Amino acid sequence: MTQYVYRFGGGVSDGGAGDKNLLGGKGANLAEMASIGLPVPPGFTISTAMCTRYYEEGETFPESVKAEVANGIAHIEGITEKVFGDAGDPLLVSVRSGARVSMPGMMDTVLNLGLNDQTVRGLAATSGDGRFAWDSYRRFIQMYADVVLGLDHGRFEEALEIAKEDRGFTLDTELSATDLQALVAEYKAIVEELWNKPFPQDVHDQLWGAIGAVFGSWQSERAKVYRRLNDIPADWGTAVNVQAMVFGNMGDTSATGVAFTRDPSTGERAYYGEFLINAQGEDVVAGIRTPQYLTQRAREAAGAKPASMEEAMPEVYGELAAVFDRLETHYRDMQDIEFTVERAKLWMLQTRSGKRTAKAALKIAVDMANEGLITREEAILRVDPQALDQLLHPTLDPKAPRDVLTKGLPASPGAASGLAVFDSDTAEKRANAGDAVILIRVETSPEDIHGMHAARGILTARGGMTSHAAVVARGMGRPCVSGAGSLSINAREKVMRVGSREVREGDMVTIDGATGEVMAGQVPTVQPELSGDFGTLMTWADEVRRLKVRANAETPLDCRTAREFGAEGVGLCRTEHMFFDSARITAVRQMILAEDETGRRAALEKLLPEQRSDFLEIFEVMAGLPVTIRLLDPPLHEFLPHEEAEFAEVATAAGVDVDTLKRRAAELHEFNPMLGHRGCRLGVTYPEIYEIQARAIFEAAIAVAEKSGAAPVPEVMIPLVGTRRELELMKAVVDKAAQAVFAEKGRTIDYLVGTMIELPRAALMAGEIAEVGAFFSFGTNDLTQTTLGVSRDDASRFLTTYVEKGIYAKDPFVSLDVEGVGQLIALAAERGRATRPDIKLGICGEHGGDPASIAFCEKTGLDYVSASPYRVPIARLAAAQAAIRGK
């Protein structure tokens, strides 16, 4: 019989750290902490395999699992010497989710389960604290009603606020036992009104309701969005952890907290965290109360008055610090820890590898390698390449004036400007329309995940450094300012007030996640500093990677940026972008609309010096490095005039009448231009176009070679080739132009002629095509389109659904379709090398900056990848990781 329940605590550990796939991260680490002797409340984990079965069998539980859970409850009872449902001395449990990887706030939790109208009195008697017992009961009803029964959370919050207002109180902790007992009665009445049944009193019904709800939350909308954003497979499922409750809300000797063994924002080797006296864990992460600092140093740095844990509970803090060091050494990584202090006794509720900013990830990885805790190769593997994006973009200019409205907590570093929006749906809508937005909320909840992803930054009035907003923002790489308590936010009116100042929806605001400042208007930015830990890790990565990394670049600025980021050449220079320049478009149109070669050459002669100048600037930046230049590729219709004034301008330049041009434009019209007269088909029909481009390339290359002494290596790429003969014809055009220029200049340079493989036929015929071409560059954007028969421009309408339904694992335009498109690339590489063993192979589509696609390129043995300039460091690190994993 399959085992679905695994116990931990009291000297028993049925699982351990290596069982994350089965027990989820939380369950595996609870078992591991228990096995190394840390104070973990006893409990049991229902495995992820049960989650899969739960959905397969219509959201029901087999009898065998009910028996296993009963044994699990008996395990907890035996250790705690309390009985579940006993009116005299009741056992209470928490029911929490726990997926393989951390999904903070995305799934559901129920605390204080096991309370009812009888057990609450037993809890009051055994604890000697009636206020604590009734406070726990009201929390349980509210949480259970929300998570399990699906009732309106706001109704309970409203009742609590009214109860405090009626008594003139500000904090929940000011309510007495009598006040809370009355609130419990009101909560139960709300449940009966909304649910049409009384609040469940049978503790076993409560337990199974909560277990089902936690499994059910795996398929909640917010969990689905989070999985999609973080590439977490839907079939992994979640585990459920049932654990004896320990109470941080049993008076002033009790507390709860969240902590990190190093600073998750900066990576500094210093304990970092927050705690609350007389509170439960949800109070810290939900942002309901502003927490206190963990260490005296952090409190003093922030200028805060409430005592830190180090000062208020020195003995327990000392125990906690020792646990921090032990866990970090044991797991060899920075840990994110949840703990509770019940009447001066420390309990560990969770540990996991902590989410961190890119800056912190770099520092922690480099520091741990230098400390000897991990190897350099492990340090390289510890940093998510995609997270480097956080470091590669501008930050606020420190010299620029700032109209500071207020200051909150610097919850996630980076800076962003955008239009103020006050709800997640609006954030998503305006971001899709192209606006940069800042999402402003009193506090975020898991339902805000889509708005947080759409926003450039997040600002909240409540919550601490470990609140939902802070943790999720750090994971996403979004700047976040939290706990800006002086803000008054009215989401209904869509306005934020700070003293006498107002910010309404659509007003420009700026936030600085490094300082916590909130500013009116837009603040200028400066480029990032790419040295220190970044430079160290990149050096280590470059020492182990095999794949070369180039950049897709067609302007001098792109090329300079790419070189600063470590690019080893240009993998794709799109020449058509140069033709759209306003000073040239008339000559381009004149060339397209000309009726014969003479007319086309007349127009091309005007473009030759412009093209030569373009290549000259690029070659100067890339002197000594390979530069792959794609000859004109797009359909001619993209350059055609549309307005009357545009036709008149071209007619004047060409010396013909407007009607003639309009007739010619009509002749050139295509029904499906992306599969029409474009790419090498232009060169075959109008070879003079490619001839002039080739001449411009070689004239510029020789000029740079003479001036700098370091000749660039032009790699002339013929686009959209499907046959050997097409490439043969176009190579002859390029070679003829090269020889003519070499003869005129009295100097030669090395160059290659190759092709972009972007058609399935080209991949299949790669053996023949390699007889002519010295290199293949896989244009994965078009190869994906032509292989899947899907237009990249229109795919967004349905591809999300395809990914959700498991048709594709990921969006194939974001991460390479390895099974289909990848098979063609591997086949082309094999056949190309069989013909020409030294053929150079690379990719230049958007996939060149995607780590998963880069891993495929390493496995297939390509020579280089090419990515946009800002993704070059991502590609360098991903290539290093792929090389390490491929050993």
Side-chain angles (χ1 to χ4, degrees):
M1 184 184 296
T2 303
Q3 180 181 351
Y4 290 111
V5 172
Y6 296 76
R7 302 164 300 159
F8 57 83
V12 174
S13 285
D14 292 339
D19 297 314
K20 282 189 177 180
N21 290 359
L22 181 67
L23 304 181
K26 187 174 294 184
N29 286 330
L30 283 168
E32 185 74 6
M33 283 197 295
S35 71
I36 63 173
L38 295 183
V40 175
F44 59 88
T45 300
I46 308 174
S47 71
T48 57
M50 184 63 243
C51 184
T52 303
R53 183 169 173 181
Y54 174 76
Y55 282 107
E56 286 174 351
E57 298 185 359
E59 300 183 19
T60 59
F61 294 98
E63 290 302 318
S64 64
V65 167
K66 292 180 180 177
E68 284 191 79
V69 168
N71 288 336
I73 290 290
H75 164 70
I76 302 173
E77 290 174 333
I79 295 166
T80 61
E81 298 182 349
K82 296 176 184 290
V83 176
F84 192 48
D86 178 50
D89 189 8
L91 168 67
L92 303 186
V93 297
S94 62
V95 182
R96 301 172 186 264
S97 64
R100 292 189 200 182
V101 294
S102 174
M103 295 174 60
M106 293 303 112
M107 290 181 295
D108 289 329
T109 293
V110 179
L111 303 179
N112 306 311
L113 190 141
L115 282 171
N116 58 27
D117 293 349
Q118 283 73 47
T119 57
V120 67
R121 299 183 189 281
L123 183 64
T126 55
S127 67
D129 187 344
R131 191 207 169 278
F132 150 72
W134 287 102
D135 182 45
S136 298
Y137 195 17
R138 71 96 186 165
R139 289 169 181 270
F140 171 55
I141 295 171
Q142 181 171 349
M143 194 174 279
Y144 196 91
D146 176 26
V147 170
V148 182
L149 306 182
L151 306 183
D152 180 9
H153 179 76
R155 285 288 301 275
F156 298 92
E157 281 292 321
E158 188 180 348
L160 174 60
E161 291 301 316
I162 290 170
K164 289 192 292 187
E165 283 177 16
D166 287 350
R167 292 156 183 79
F169 298 151
T170 305
L171 301 175
D172 305 357
T173 50
E174 295 175 283
L175 294 169
S176 68
T178 305
D179 297 333
L180 290 163
Q181 190 171 354
L183 191 58
V184 163
E186 191 167 350
Y187 276 12
K188 286 163 60 184
I190 293 171
V191 170
E192 191 150 4
E193 175 197 338
L194 299 179
W195 198 42
N196 295 320
K197 296 181 202 173
F199 186 79
Q201 295 291 304
D202 184 298
V203 296
H204 296 283
D205 288 347
Q206 293 174 0
L207 177 63
W208 284 103
I211 292 170
V214 172
F215 276 146
S217 67
W218 178 253
Q219 293 294 359
S220 68
E221 280 308 307
R222 64 178 187 255
K224 287 178 182 177
V225 170
Y226 190 91
R227 288 202 298 271
R228 189 167 69 245
L229 296 179
N230 292 278
D231 293 328
I232 299 171
D235 60 3
W236 277 6
T238 182
V240 175
N241 299 289
V242 179
Q243 194 173 13
M245 281 294 300
V246 288
F247 299 97
N249 58 333
M250 291 187 76
D252 291 343
T253 60
S254 301
T256 190
V258 175
F260 296 80
T261 56
R262 302 191 188 211
D263 188 321
S265 289
T266 66
E268 182 187 4
R269 190 174 185 181
Y271 304 141
Y272 174 101
E274 299 169 323
F275 86 116
L276 277 171
I277 291 174
N278 197 19
Q280 288 198 334
E282 292 300 300
D283 297 343
V284 178
V285 297
I288 295 165
R289 287 166 57 187
T290 300
Q292 296 157 237
Y293 288 91
L294 202 65
T295 65
Q296 181 178 345
R297 178 187 167 205
R299 178 189 68 75
E300 289 172 349
K305 292 182 179 178
S308 66
M309 185 178 182
E310 186 177 8
E311 297 161 298
M313 297 179 165
E315 289 184 12
V316 180
Y317 172 81
E319 287 180 56
L320 185 63
V323 170
F324 285 174
D325 293 343
R326 190 170 173 190
L327 284 173
E328 186 169 279
T329 303
H330 183 78
Y331 283 98
R332 300 166 62 246
D333 196 8
M334 183 263 276
Q335 294 298 290
D336 170 1
I337 293 158
E338 290 181 18
F339 64 90
T340 285
V341 180
E342 180 182 289
R343 291 181 169 170
K345 178 168 175 52
L346 176 67
W347 292 98
M348 305 307 298
L349 303 184
Q350 174 173 294
T351 193
R352 60 189 174 194
S353 291
K355 288 192 177 297
R356 62 207 76 178
T357 63
K359 181 180 180 182
L362 278 171
K363 181 167 179 56
I364 290 168
V366 171
D367 284 355
M368 284 187 169
N370 289 334
E371 291 163 16
L373 198 60
I374 59 176
T375 66
R376 286 187 176 184
E377 289 196 350
E378 285 176 307
I380 292 168
L381 294 172
R382 287 281 173 91
V383 179
D384 176 5
Q386 299 280 30
L388 292 181
D389 226 12
Q390 296 177 36
L391 302 177
L392 305 179
H393 293 282
T395 52
L396 293 186
D397 183 349
K399 298 175 184 174
R402 303 184 181 200
D403 180 5
V404 179
L405 298 171
T406 188
K407 194 170 182 179
L409 299 172
S412 181
S417 298
L419 306 179
V421 296
F422 294 88
D423 66 89
S424 289
D425 290 344
T426 302
E428 188 173 51
K429 183 178 178 183
R430 296 200 71 156
N432 288 340
D435 291 333
V437 299
I438 302 294
L439 178 63
I440 302 172
R441 305 284 281 157
V442 174
E443 61 198 11
T444 61
S445 70
E447 281 74 20
D448 286 313
I449 183 74
H450 61 297
M452 296 174 76
H453 184 254
R456 297 286 178 87
I458 297 118
L459 169 62
T460 68
R462 295 210 297 239
M465 306 283 278
T466 52
S467 65
H468 173 267
V471 171
V472 174
R474 279 198 296 268
M476 287 182 172
R478 300 289 186 279
C480 176
V481 174
S482 66
S486 62
L487 295 182
S488 172
I489 296 171
N490 188 322
R492 192 177 296 108
E493 293 181 11
K494 300 190 174 183
V495 64
M496 171 179 86
R497 296 183 176 89
V498 188
S500 61
R501 305 278 300 271
E502 275 190 358
V503 173
R504 294 195 167 271
E505 183 167 286
D507 291 347
M508 181 65 71
V509 293
T510 298
I511 63 169
D512 188 339
T515 65
E517 288 181 328
V518 181
M519 293 145 277
Q522 187 166 2
V523 180
T525 57
V526 292
Q527 292 299 316
E529 183 65 47
L530 300 177
S531 55
D533 296 321
F534 178 90
T536 299
L537 193 79
M538 286 292 115
T539 299
W540 294 350
D542 291 341
E543 288 170 357
V544 299
R545 69 179 164 90
R546 183 194 63 81
L547 278 167
K548 297 289 186 181
V549 177
R550 300 191 193 180
N552 299 339
E554 50 262 354
T555 68
L557 176 60
D558 283 347
C559 292
R560 280 192 292 272
T561 302
R563 288 212 70 169
E564 286 170 9
F565 286 149
E568 297 158 305
V570 171
L572 175 61
C573 174
R574 305 172 179 91
T575 56
E576 62 271 9
H577 289 186
M578 303 165 178
F579 285 9
F580 282 104
D581 184 273
S582 58
R584 310 175 193 185
I585 191 69
T586 299
V588 174
R589 287 167 172 170
Q590 181 185 344
M591 179 267 294
I592 292 167
L593 295 171
E595 304 231 19
D596 54 29
E597 181 180 341
T598 302
R600 283 191 294 277
R601 284 193 176 276
L604 286 165
E605 285 300 325
K606 298 178 186 176
L607 290 170
L608 174 60
E610 302 282 0
Q611 274 273 268
R612 184 171 56 236
S613 174
D614 292 330
F615 296 134
L616 196 69
E617 290 181 311
I618 289 169
F619 289 153
E620 283 175 344
V621 178
M622 289 290 171
L625 296 175
V627 178
T628 305
I629 299 168
R630 182 177 72 187
L631 301 186
L632 194 64
D633 177 52
L636 293 181
H637 81 96
E638 291 189 9
F639 299 102
L640 292 180
H642 302 288
E643 307 295 330
E644 195 70 31
E646 293 174 337
F647 273 107
E649 187 179 355
V650 177
T652 301
V656 296
D657 63 86
V658 171
D659 288 341
T660 300
L661 290 185
K662 286 184 176 179
R663 174 183 55 76
R664 178 71 177 138
E667 290 170 359
L668 291 170
H669 172 75
E670 293 181 287
F671 289 102
N672 191 353
M674 290 310 293
L675 296 177
H677 193 191
R678 55 166 289 212
C680 67
R681 299 158 194 170
L682 291 173
V684 170
T685 50
Y686 307 133
E688 57 274 11
I689 297 176
Y690 282 7
E691 178 192 328
I692 292 295
Q693 284 196 292
R695 172 172 279 275
I697 290 169
F698 294 118
E699 287 178 355
I702 286 177
V704 170
E706 290 175 344
K707 180 179 176 182
S708 69
V713 184
E715 298 179 349
V716 183
M717 184 160 68
I718 312 300
L720 213 72
V721 161
T723 69
R724 179 189 186 283
R725 181 62 175 154
E726 284 171 318
L727 184 57
E728 188 175 49
L729 288 170
M730 293 303 95
K731 183 176 186 297
V733 170
V734 173
D735 287 342
K736 182 180 177 183
Q739 294 310 312
V741 173
F742 294 165
E744 291 167 15
K745 303 294 183 183
R747 177 169 184 160
T748 63
I749 59 166
D750 292 331
Y751 71 96
L752 301 176
V753 179
T755 185
M756 182 179 274
I757 303 288
E758 50 196 321
L759 297 175
R761 190 184 197 281
L764 294 171
M765 304 303 294
E768 286 187 10
I769 293 171
E771 292 172 4
V772 181
F775 68 88
F776 291 165
S777 179
F778 293 95
T780 52
N781 299 345
D782 269 356
L783 187 58
T784 298
Q785 289 194 105
T786 54
T787 302
L788 302 184
V790 172
S791 163
R792 181 174 59 160
D793 298 325
D794 301 315
S796 60
R797 300 177 188 177
F798 60 85
L799 271 183
T800 299
T801 304
Y802 265 51
V803 173
E804 286 175 354
K805 292 185 181 297
I807 298 171
Y808 295 126
K810 298 178 184 176
D811 182 334
F813 292 104
V814 173
S815 194
L816 195 67
D817 165 35
V818 172
E819 293 177 350
V821 178
Q823 195 175 154
L824 285 172
I825 293 173
L827 181 72
E830 180 186 338
R831 292 182 178 179
R833 284 191 175 125
T835 299
R836 186 188 291 260
D838 63 344
I839 192 167
K840 188 181 289 188
L841 303 173
I843 70 166
C844 60
E846 289 302 308
H847 301 94
D850 169 59
S853 305
I854 290 168
F856 168 81
C857 294
E858 171 68 24
K859 184 179 177 183
T860 310
L862 302 191
D863 298 303
Y864 70 88
V865 298
S866 189
S868 61
Y870 277 100
R871 297 189 72 78
V872 164
I874 294 171
R876 288 165 65 195
L877 182 56
Q881 292 181 349
I884 292 167
R885 291 185 178 121
K887 284 184 178 180

